[in-house]
Amino acid sequence: VATLLAKSGDYHVYLGDLKSESVDSDLMASLPAVTPVALDVTNQHATAAMITQHAIQAVVACLPFFHNIALAKIAQSHQLHY
């Protein structure tokens, strides 16, 4: 999903993962519109801070189902597309 959005040229994608270094560095080199970010979505304060810091406008989640409700609530509280 991140690759498709980034390659469209219409979006800058922040790719959140528990460990940003786990993202393939060769892939990232070919996608300047993707920024890997170390992010634990179970930490609501850190997730909200990241959204604010980077002026995020939408969230696309590819998470285990049990994380989606909390993330959707954070997105709603920031009036983001989810």
Side-chain angles (χ1 to χ4, degrees):
V1 173
T3 303
L4 291 172
L5 291 170
K7 285 185 175 182
S8 76
D10 295 328
Y11 305 97
H12 187 90
V13 177
Y14 291 91
L15 184 59
D17 197 317
L18 281 174
K19 299 176 185 174
S20 62
E21 66 273 6
S22 67
V23 178
D24 184 333
S25 60
D26 291 334
L27 177 62
M28 291 298 95
S30 68
L31 296 169
V34 176
T35 302
V37 176
L39 182 65
D40 179 355
V41 296
T42 64
N43 182 333
Q44 293 181 7
H45 295 291
T47 302
M50 188 271 185
I51 287 169
T52 301
Q53 177 184 1
H54 296 288
I56 303 298
Q57 296 177 345
V59 174
V60 176
C62 298
L63 297 166
F65 71 93
F66 50 87
H67 290 301
N68 283 313
I69 293 172
L71 184 57
K73 288 179 180 179
I74 294 169
Q76 181 184 27
S77 73
H78 285 83
Q79 301 178 333
L80 303 178
H81 297 284
Y82 179 84

